[in-house]
Amino acid sequence: MTASDAVQLRDVLAAVTLLATDVGELKATVAAGKAVAEQAQLNKEHLGALVGQVEELAATLEGMKSASSPDPKPRPWCWSTMTYAERAERLAELADWVTEVLYLRPEATLAIPGCWSYHHDIVDDLSALYCGWQTAYLWSGGRATDALDYLTRALPAVLSRVSSQHKACNEQRGHQTPPRPRDDSRMVDARIAQYKQAAQER
């Protein structure tokens, strides 16, 4: 081997050594990046688990708050199951609330006809609204979100429905007797009889 060949071989070996060093550093960098990515994924999964635990704790605390309330949460009234005496008592209570609380809002006085107590659908809507108001403002377990739900969703919806469905009952035309509830029993009974006959034929 000539001196020139020896020099070239030395340069090649040096280049190979340098390249091996670069490859080793690159592998270390890739491994470190992979470790960081894996740790980030683990952190993300851990964070998701923590969020779920916080939500569960919040639900548990809310349940404990409701359970620890000295008074039960207000419930809607079912007029169809009341006796006439109970209806009279409830209607008087509802009328007091409508007059003393609901009529403080100008939009309520415009939407609700004076003959509202003669319309079963209005009475039902107002009693449900009354229940929502009690939950938001009187119940010990009430929250700010209950009041916001009452003001922004329940109240406008009821007033809009009452106003649109009872335009005829105004000061000029007076109370309009609501039609009798529709009775589909004849058609329903005929359909039931068909089902029974088909069952016997099988």
Side-chain angles (χ1 to χ4, degrees):
M1 178 183 295
T2 64
S4 177
D5 293 337
V7 171
Q8 291 180 354
L9 179 59
R10 184 192 59 190
D11 292 342
V12 170
L13 291 175
V16 169
T17 302
L18 181 61
L19 180 60
T21 301
D22 292 342
V23 170
E25 292 178 353
L26 180 59
K27 287 183 177 181
T29 301
V30 171
K34 183 178 180 181
V36 170
E38 291 176 350
Q39 185 61 45
Q41 180 63 29
L42 290 175
N43 291 341
K44 182 178 180 181
E45 294 175 356
H46 183 60
L47 180 60
L50 287 177
V51 170
Q53 293 176 5
V54 170
E55 292 177 347
E56 291 179 1
L57 286 174
T60 301
L61 290 174
E62 182 62 27
M64 292 173 62
K65 180 181 178 181
S66 299
S68 63
S69 298
D71 54 331
K73 186 175 182 179
R75 296 187 59 187
W77 297 340
C78 181
W79 291 89
S80 61
T81 61
M82 296 181 189
T83 64
Y84 286 115
E86 290 172 337
R87 291 182 187 184
E89 182 179 352
R90 294 295 193 185
L91 186 60
E93 179 182 347
L94 182 62
D96 287 342
W97 174 75
V98 169
T99 301
E100 297 173 6
V101 176
L102 198 56
Y103 280 170
L104 294 178
R105 308 188 69 87
E107 65 269 29
T109 60
L110 295 175
I112 302 173
C115 56
W116 63 266
S117 60
Y118 285 86
H119 295 274
H120 298 298
D121 56 335
I122 301 182
V123 171
D124 201 34
D125 279 345
L126 292 181
S127 60
L129 193 62
Y130 177 40
C131 177
W133 178 84
Q134 288 178 308
T135 300
Y137 297 104
L138 300 184
W139 182 46
S140 60
R143 302 168 299 174
T145 51
D146 295 322
L148 289 173
D149 183 70
Y150 168 82
L151 292 171
T152 61
R153 188 185 62 82
L155 178 63
V158 168
L159 296 183
S160 176
R161 182 164 55 250
V162 170
S163 177
S164 63
Q165 294 180 357
H166 296 277
K167 290 182 179 180
C169 294
N170 51 42
E171 294 181 358
Q172 288 74 30
R173 300 181 59 182
H175 170 61
Q176 303 296 306
T177 302
R180 295 183 61 183
R182 196 174 77 179
D183 185 3
D184 296 332
S185 59
R186 185 176 63 84
M187 297 293 292
V188 173
D189 289 343
R191 187 58 171 163
I192 292 174
Q194 291 177 355
Y195 282 138
K196 290 181 177 180
Q197 182 178 357
Q200 293 175 355
E201 293 174 353
R202 288 184 176 272

